[in-house]
Amino acid sequence: WWTKHFDLCHIGVFNALVFFVATIVFWIPAIAWYPMDKLGDPKLKATIFWIYILQILPSIGFIYVGFAAMAEAAGSWMKPDFNSIGWWASFLNFIGGIGFFLYAVLSLPGVVGDPGCCDDLNKWGAAMATFWGSCAFWVAGLLQWIEFSSEHPITLGGGSTGAPAMKK
């Protein structure tokens, strides 16, 4: 599935590229944090860039990809398709991106501000944003697994036709 001539005009291909780059950039703070913490007291500017900015930027990419994938699944930027399992997976990816974005944003006041100024915000706000963001990504992954492993498109609910809860 690797090709030399991929079409970035197709939104699915462009989303995959954005998601890939955002994931690689999001991985950098996870690797950079431990040595910075163990080597002593890192400089404030280095901490802000290597840990928080490099979590905020990819999270914006995750949010974009979730939103654009919802539009692709629905066929419209404005009208959701609640019967599409792909739309729900994209929606949960969007929510997961917001959770990861909020983690970095809610952690910054404790780093930049006075020590101890925002302990509750750092401890509970950021931790909970990471938790529900991760849960949203996990459920989205399950929905994508179900959708991609099916030979035929899966729709949810019956609507006016009275179809079963999940149909092929």
Side-chain angles (χ1 to χ4, degrees):
W1 47 276
W2 291 99
T3 180
K4 293 179 184 176
H5 308 288
F6 53 92
D7 182 14
L8 289 179
C9 294
H10 188 272
I11 194 166
V13 175
F14 184 72
N15 284 350
L17 179 64
V18 170
F19 197 77
F20 176 75
V21 171
T23 302
I24 296 300
V25 174
F26 194 81
W27 182 69
I28 294 169
I31 299 302
W33 173 83
Y34 188 73
M36 287 176 70
D37 188 48
K38 291 298 175 192
L39 290 175
D41 190 25
K43 303 283 186 221
L44 180 63
K45 289 180 183 178
T47 302
I48 290 173
F49 177 75
W50 288 105
I51 306 301
Y52 297 102
I53 298 298
L54 289 182
Q55 286 182 357
I56 290 172
L57 293 177
S59 296
I60 292 170
F62 296 152
I63 292 168
Y64 161 76
V65 168
F67 186 74
M70 281 191 300
E72 180 186 27
S76 168
W77 287 97
M78 298 298 176
K79 186 178 177 193
D81 184 6
F82 297 119
N83 292 327
S84 168
I85 196 168
W87 186 88
W88 283 104
S90 303
F91 175 74
L92 289 168
N93 277 329
F94 174 74
I95 296 298
I98 290 173
F100 280 19
F101 176 78
L102 285 177
Y103 165 75
V105 170
L106 293 175
S107 295
L108 271 175
V111 174
V112 177
D114 296 328
C117 78
C118 308
D119 286 339
D120 288 339
L121 187 63
N122 284 342
K123 186 175 182 180
W124 296 107
M128 287 306 292
T130 300
F131 176 73
W132 57 261
S134 299
C135 289
F137 277 130
W138 181 73
V139 174
L142 289 176
L143 290 176
Q144 288 172 335
W145 174 56
I146 291 168
E147 182 180 35
F148 296 154
S149 64
S150 175
E151 293 179 21
H152 305 287
I154 297 175
T155 58
L156 304 173
S160 61
T161 61
M166 288 185 75
K167 66 177 185 177
K168 289 186 178 184

